[in-house]
């Protein structure tokens, strides 16, 4: 199961992260961690910590970016 968060609600899906990643538009969504896919329009800020990049979303949630996905995110940002 995966938990999906929207601006208004959260719900459970029986789809895996890989299944969701394949179905979502890569121009609108980016996988940033093995446990997180984010909407690019939800990004408010990206900053670097000693442990690696962090993303602050519009709703003030902080999401860690894993080394595996950091390069893909960097390409999107520049």
């Amino acid at each position: 199961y995966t938990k999906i968060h929207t601006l208004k609600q959260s719900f459970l899906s029986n789809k895996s992260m890989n299944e969701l990643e394949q179905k979502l538009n890569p121009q609108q969504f980016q996988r940033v961690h093995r446990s997180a896919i984010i909407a690019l329009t939800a990004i408010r800020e990206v900053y670097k910590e000693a442990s690696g990049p962090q993303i602050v979303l519009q709703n003030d949630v902080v999401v860690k970016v894993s080394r595996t996905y950091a390069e893909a995110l960097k390409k999107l940002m520049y």
Side-chain angles (χ1 to χ4, degrees):
Y1 291 98
T2 54
K3 192 167 192 178
I4 299 171
H5 302 276
T6 67
L7 289 175
K8 296 185 179 188
Q9 65 182 9
S10 296
F11 54 94
L12 285 176
S13 169
N14 63 352
K15 303 289 185 199
S16 71
M17 290 292 286
N18 287 334
E19 288 177 287
L20 289 174
E21 184 178 22
Q22 295 301 313
K23 291 180 183 274
L24 294 170
N25 182 339
Q27 293 184 346
Q28 296 177 331
F29 295 89
Q30 176 68 40
R31 188 150 187 185
V32 295
H33 194 276
R34 68 183 183 109
S35 63
I37 299 172
I38 61 166
L40 297 174
T41 57
I43 297 173
R44 183 173 70 206
E45 178 183 353
V46 178
Y47 63 93
K48 182 145 175 133
E49 287 283 327
S51 62
Q54 309 279 317
I55 295 173
V56 180
L57 301 177
Q58 297 293 336
N59 61 0
D60 295 324
V61 171
V62 177
V63 179
K64 291 182 180 183
V65 179
S66 71
R67 284 180 271 150
T68 305
Y69 298 101
E71 190 62 35
L73 181 65
K74 187 176 178 181
K75 287 179 183 178
L76 281 174
M77 303 305 282
Y78 298 104

